């Protein structure tokens, strides 16, 4: 829907389609992309790591985040990139301008794929990052990978962390439709803090609703999904599309129609 919207808006002759590829069929599909007429594509679970061995090179973001989500050709070479961090930061810039104020302290809940993209983006914007995750070991691995500006804490430490937090980010799957809500007492959170949930179904998660009621600026995950699509489209079709209110409204309506409680 997103890429189709942009193709139509920009009057470009192209298509973005879904290809179901099994792990067994991955090599054949990727190595045959050029011949099949593709100029690139997105990669999603469970192939985001497996494609590393099939690309000629990857960009710094994919290398650091440890996952490829976008493919394009440079000459004959297939390149793998990761646009999630650009999407994450672009969404914050769009929905909460001035959120970083040059530097500051972010608190990231979760340590999975979305967290790695968030941390990569936040470090690029000079933020210090505290990570809290259910499985401590996963958070420790993430922190070792990204270096000393990332510190791991336990859930018990939230009370001390929240008053110093400028940006609170949920990257766990808690709060997603069908999952348990993320329940945190936001009372100690710094009054000026921005709260961002990368979950986008529902559009307003219980965490965002609670933050809004307390007067915080809130940012939902839909913008990240839309913004991460921009660099891929630009590489494939040679024109940089815009995330407009009209596009957002269209995708929001689709989410509401397919997940009525959202
Ligand atoms: P991963 O599976 O890589 O990570 C899941 C994270 O959630 C882990 O930190 C995991 O902790 C934590 N978690 C899961 N269940 C629980 C629970 N019951 N209690 C506490 N923590 C829990 O997933 P992703 O990082 O890829 O995705 C996470 C969320 O982000 C999803 O909802 C996804 O839809 C959303 N997302 C949104 C994007 C966007 O564009 N807006 C982009 C990518 C993801 P543990 O390590 O302990 O298992």
């Amino acid at each position: 829907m997103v890429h189709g919207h942009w193709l139509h808006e920009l009057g470009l002759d192209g298509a973005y389609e879904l290809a179901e590829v099994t792990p067994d069929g991955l090599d054949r599909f990727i190595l045959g992309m050029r011949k099949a007429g593709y100029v690139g594509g997105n990669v999603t679970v469970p192939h985001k790591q497996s494609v590393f061995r099939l690309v000629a090179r990857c960009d710094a973001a994919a290398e650091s985040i440890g996952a490829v989500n976008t493919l394009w050709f440079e000459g004959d070479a297939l390149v793998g990139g990761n646009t999630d961090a650009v999407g994450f930061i672009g969404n914050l810039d769009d929905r909460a301008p001035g959120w970083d104020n040059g530097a500051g302290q972010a608190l990231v809940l979760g340590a999975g794929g979305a967290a790695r993209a968030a941390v990569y983006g936040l470090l690029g914007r000079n933020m210090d990052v505290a990570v809290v995750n259910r499985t401590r070991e996963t958070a420790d691995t993430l922190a070792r990978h990204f270096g000393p500006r990332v510190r791991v804490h336990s859930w018990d430490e939230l009370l001390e962390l929240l008053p110093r937090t400028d940006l609170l980010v949920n990257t766990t799957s808690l709060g997603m439709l069908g999952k348990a809500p993320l329940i945190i007492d936001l009372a100690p959170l710094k009054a000026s803090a921005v709260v961002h949930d990368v979950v986008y179904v529902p559009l307003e998660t219980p965490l965002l609703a609670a933050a809004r009621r307390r007067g915080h600026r809130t940012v939902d995950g839909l913008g990240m999904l839309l913004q991460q699509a921009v660099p891929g489209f630009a590489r494939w079709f040679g024109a940089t599309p815009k995330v407009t209110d009209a596009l957002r409204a269209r995708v929001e309506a689709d989410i509401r129609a397919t997940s009525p409680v959202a």
Side-chain angles (χ1 to χ4, degrees):
M1 180 181 288
V2 173
H3 291 287
H5 177 95
W6 286 331
L7 284 167
H8 180 76
E9 195 175 67
L10 294 164
L12 294 170
D13 186 19
Y16 182 92
E17 60 187 28
L18 188 66
E20 195 177 339
V21 180
T22 60
D24 281 352
L26 183 68
D27 293 33
R28 198 156 158 233
F29 183 85
I30 299 288
L31 300 173
M33 273 177 63
R34 198 66 193 257
K35 223 170 159 194
Y38 289 108
V39 291
N42 285 127
V43 184
T44 188
V45 279
H47 303 309
K48 284 180 161 192
Q49 280 82 32
S50 324
V51 289
F52 271 105
R53 62 184 163 75
L54 299 170
V55 296
R57 65 172 191 86
C58 51
D59 72 6
E63 193 93 63
S64 191
I65 294 165
V68 167
N69 76 345
T70 305
L71 297 169
W72 66 91
F73 286 97
E74 286 179 15
D76 283 334
L78 183 64
V79 183
N82 191 305
T83 63
D84 276 340
V86 170
F88 174 82
I89 296 292
N91 186 31
L92 279 167
D93 285 342
D94 185 38
R95 311 297 285 186
W99 64 274
D100 61 336
N101 220 359
Q105 179 69 50
L107 170 55
V108 173
L109 307 174
R116 290 175 84 93
V119 170
Y120 180 81
L122 291 167
L123 292 176
R125 291 295 277 265
N126 239 358
M127 301 288 284
D128 288 312
V129 184
V131 176
V132 171
N133 191 46
R134 175 179 61 179
T135 310
R136 173 89 187 204
E137 204 184 318
T138 317
D140 286 336
T141 305
L142 181 151
R144 269 197 304 278
H145 175 75
F146 284 106
R149 296 194 68 182
V150 180
R151 295 216 166 80
V152 179
H153 298 269
S154 65
W155 286 97
D156 302 344
E157 291 172 86
L158 281 184
L159 200 60
E160 294 106 81
L161 290 169
L162 288 170
R164 306 189 251 127
T165 296
D166 301 299
L167 173 71
L168 172 64
V169 185
N170 174 45
T171 72
T172 74
S173 39
L174 292 174
M176 204 170 139
L177 190 65
K179 303 259 165 142
L182 171 63
I183 295 169
I184 325 176
D185 178 10
L186 293 178
L189 181 61
K190 195 191 260 193
S192 59
V194 171
V195 179
H196 182 191
D197 202 328
V198 303
V199 170
Y200 54 89
V201 182
L203 288 163
E204 187 176 66
T205 60
L207 173 71
L208 291 184
R212 179 176 49 79
R213 284 195 295 269
R214 298 194 66 86
H216 293 282
R217 281 202 288 172
T218 60
V219 178
D220 65 42
L222 179 58
M224 176 177 173
L225 181 75
L226 300 177
Q227 296 281 353
Q228 65 77 32
V230 171
F233 187 97
R235 297 241 184 227
W236 309 323
F237 301 115
T240 303
K242 287 204 164 42
V243 175
T244 57
D245 289 345
L247 173 62
R248 207 188 140 88
R250 203 170 156 187
V251 180
E252 270 188 25
D254 185 65
I255 292 176
R256 290 212 165 89
T258 47
S259 326
V261 299

